[in-house]
Amino acid sequence: MYDRPPIQVHEQRKPGVAPHTITKEQSKKVSQTEAARDTVSVKQPYDAFLVVDVEATCLQGAGFEWPNEIIEWPVCLLRWKDKSPKGKASQLEIVDEFRSFVRPTWRPQLSQFCTDLTGITQAQVNHAPTFPKVIEIFARFLAQHGLIDPKNGRPLQRFCWCSDGPFDVRDFVVKQCFISNIPMPSWLKGDVLDVRRLVSIWVATNEPSDSQQIRTRLATSYHFRSLNIPQQLRALGLAPFQGRLHCGIDDTRNITRVIIEIARRGIRLEPNTTINPNRRWQWMGRPGEVLEYCLI
C-alpha cells in the first residue's frame, strides 16, 4: 500500500521470550497489497489515530465486571499521507508502533486461563514496568511524535483513539487508573472510535438485502451483527487475520488494517464512544482499593 520509512517499535523485550507471530515486515507487506486499490477521498477531521487493543488479567467466567488489570499496552500510530489543504484524505499509513507488557499489582499472578488466552507469560509481566510507568514512557512516545505537549500533556494535534469495541479505553483504562490510584491522563480522556461498531453498521447497511428500508432500519435501530476482527477483515475483502488472536500487538495491527481499508473506501473516521473517567464498579472502594468481598 504505502512506502514509508522503517517503523521504530518501542517495545519492552524480555529475555527468552518468543516474539509475537506476525512481524512488522509481514504486516507491512500485507497492508501494501491490500491498499493498492482505488481510493475515495472525503473530509477527515482528525490528523492522527492511535489504535490500541490491550490485554488484561482475567478469570474464566468472570466477565467484564471483574477488576481487570492491563498486562499489555500495544499501540499503532496512523497518519494521513495524502491529506489535502481542504482536509480531504483516503490513505492512512503506520508511522510508528509502541508495545510494552505491564506488571499487575492487585493480583500479580496470572491465571492459566489468562495465559492460554493471551499467550502472555508470568515471566513477561514479572519483568515489566507497572502501568503508571508504562503511561509515563508512552507519553514520551506521544510527545516525540508531536501529539502532546511534553510538559503538560496537552494535545497539540487532533488525534483519535481506535479500538475493537468500546472496552479498551472506556472500561480497561478507567479500571486500571483506579487500581493504580492515578488520574486518567488528559490525552486518554479524548475521542474514541469503536471500529467494530463502525464496520458492523457499514456492513449491515451495504450488504445486499430486500430493501433499502431494511438496511436503514438495521443502522438506526442498532440491531446489527457485531463483527469480530477476523469477520471484519473478511467482510471488507481483506486477507485473513495475521498473527495470533488475543496477542495485543497482533490484534492492534489487524485492527489497523481494517481502519486503513475503511478510510480508503471514503468512510469518515470520527468518535462514536463516550468515556467516563469517573465511572464506578461495585468493587471499587477508596482510590486504589479493590473490595474483595464484592467479588464473591
Side-chain angles (χ1 to χ4, degrees), residues 2 4-9 24 27-28 94-97 253:
Y2 42 87
R4 64 174 188 267
I7 296 173
Q8 300 176 12
V9 181
K24 293 176 296 186
S27 179
K28 178 179 178 179
I94 304 172
V95 295
D96 208 346
E97 292 180 351
R253 287 171 174 163

Side-chain angles (χ1 to χ4, degrees), residues 63-129:
F64 284 107
E65 298 305 308
W66 184 259
N68 314 90
E69 294 181 85
I70 293 172
I71 54 176
E72 183 183 359
W73 183 261
V75 178
C76 288
L77 170 60
L78 297 175
R79 288 190 187 277
W80 301 106
K81 66 175 185 177
D82 67 336
K83 200 165 191 180
S84 72
K86 294 185 177 181
K88 288 190 173 183
S90 64
Q91 298 180 56
L92 281 168
E93 62 179 348
I94 304 172
V95 295
D96 208 346
E97 292 180 351
F98 179 97
R99 186 197 193 197
S100 177
F101 294 110
V102 186
R103 176 162 52 89
T105 56
W106 170 61
R107 290 280 179 91
Q109 187 69 33
L110 302 184
S111 68
Q112 188 59 50
F113 173 77
C114 183
T115 294
D116 292 343
L117 179 69
T118 66
I120 298 173
T121 67
Q122 190 66 48
Q124 286 174 309
V125 297
N126 284 347
H127 293 90

Side-chain angles (χ1 to χ4, degrees), residues 230-286:
Q231 291 169 335
Q232 293 171 46
L233 293 167
R234 185 162 58 250
L236 293 169
L238 302 177
F241 188 96
Q242 305 293 310
R244 183 193 190 283
L245 273 169
H246 302 298
C247 165
I249 190 64
D250 286 353
D251 286 352
T252 299
R253 287 171 174 163
N254 282 276
I255 298 167
T256 295
R257 292 171 55 206
V258 169
I259 295 170
I260 289 172
E261 174 62 17
I262 60 179
R264 184 194 68 78
R265 296 186 182 210
I267 298 174
R268 187 177 167 95
L269 305 181
E270 52 192 352
N272 58 8
T273 300
T274 301
I275 304 302
N276 177 12
N278 299 315
R279 184 181 176 186
R280 300 278 295 182
W281 281 261
Q282 64 176 1
W283 48 262
M284 289 180 169
R286 296 184 300 272

Side-chain angles (χ1 to χ4, degrees), residues 114-175:
C114 183
T115 294
D116 292 343
L117 179 69
T118 66
I120 298 173
T121 67
Q122 190 66 48
Q124 286 174 309
V125 297
N126 284 347
H127 293 90
T130 60
F131 186 73
K133 184 62 178 178
V134 171
I135 288 301
E136 179 184 326
I137 298 169
F138 184 68
R140 292 200 292 267
F141 170 87
L142 296 179
Q144 289 167 4
H145 286 282
L147 294 175
I148 65 172
D149 187 307
K151 295 180 179 179
N152 56 29
R154 182 176 59 85
L156 299 178
Q157 297 181 29
R158 293 202 74 189
F159 60 86
C160 182
W161 290 91
C162 305
S163 59
D164 176 48
F167 313 105
D168 293 82
V169 179
R170 188 194 69 182
D171 296 354
F172 292 128
V173 171
V174 173
K175 290 179 186 179

